[in-house]
Amino acid sequence: IASSVQDPIFQKFGLPSGQRGVMIMKMAVKIIAGQHPEVATLAGDLRELLGLQREETPLDLMGAAKESAKVPAGQQSQAAKDGRAITFTEILSKLRSAPLDVRGPLAEALRLPYKSSPEDIAAAVPQIHTISQQLAAKNMGKPRSELVGEGKLLGPEAASLSDK
């Protein structure tokens, strides 16, 4: 049922359908929430409306890589205790407990093989920003006519917007 609602939206924004698109979307929300607390609050509100537990720990990719060298394996960082950015160690812990059908799509989104190890996936997470820039460059290089309109990346309501 969810995919019938998600797929057109994912397609509009250039995301793959299914679990892979969900993983990319969730990761993007966490990254943006790390820079904009109001996004974290809205994401939590949305989860609550869906009957899910609030999940507002932002993801600081640059800080996560640095923090991983400081935090011994298995210990929660002070940042996480304070409700700040999730660390590399915490990402790794979550990946280790996630089933393959959850890790696999994330690995593929990070341009890794589906069956990549949790360690390889966690190490690749900081590349999300670069990958998203590449996807944006790929789509932004297309002519306006390929991006704007019914069933395209930007709907017809964006037709009158400036390119600037």
Side-chain angles (χ1 to χ4, degrees):
I1 294 174
S3 66
S4 65
V5 175
Q6 292 171 340
D7 286 351
I9 296 167
F10 286 2
Q11 182 182 14
K12 181 176 180 176
F13 291 97
L15 294 172
S17 63
Q19 189 69 27
R20 186 173 179 207
V22 171
M23 295 298 290
I24 293 170
M25 177 195 63
K26 287 179 75 173
M27 192 65 73
V29 169
K30 284 190 178 238
I31 292 168
I32 294 167
Q35 299 169 354
H36 302 281
E38 64 274 14
V39 173
T41 301
L42 289 171
D45 292 348
L46 178 59
R47 288 184 61 81
E48 224 170 53
L49 288 170
L50 293 170
L52 302 170
Q53 183 177 351
R54 294 183 79 93
E55 189 179 275
E56 300 177 30
T57 304
L59 181 61
D60 176 4
L61 297 176
M62 297 307 142
K66 291 175 190 170
E67 188 73 20
S68 68
K70 300 177 190 173
V71 179
Q75 290 186 1
Q76 185 182 35
S77 71
Q78 187 61 45
K81 290 177 185 173
D82 294 342
R84 291 182 279 128
I86 190 169
T87 67
F88 176 88
T89 303
E90 292 159 330
I91 293 169
L92 183 56
S93 174
K94 288 182 181 214
L95 287 168
R96 285 179 175 153
S97 65
L100 181 60
D101 65 329
V102 172
R103 286 193 325 262
L106 176 59
E108 287 181 329
L110 292 167
R111 300 180 177 154
L112 296 170
Y114 188 88
K115 293 185 177 181
S116 293
S117 71
E119 292 78 10
D120 289 343
I121 297 169
V125 165
Q127 296 173 18
I128 285 177
H129 182 72
T130 301
I131 292 168
S132 67
Q133 286 180 323
Q134 291 167 349
L135 288 171
K138 175 184 166 189
N139 284 307
M140 297 311 290
K142 293 179 180 177
R144 188 183 218 332
S145 61
E146 289 183 32
L147 297 172
V148 180
E150 194 65 42
K152 297 186 179 175
L153 185 62
L154 300 172
E157 63 279 359
S160 63
L161 298 176
S162 167
D163 287 338
K164 295 181 183 193

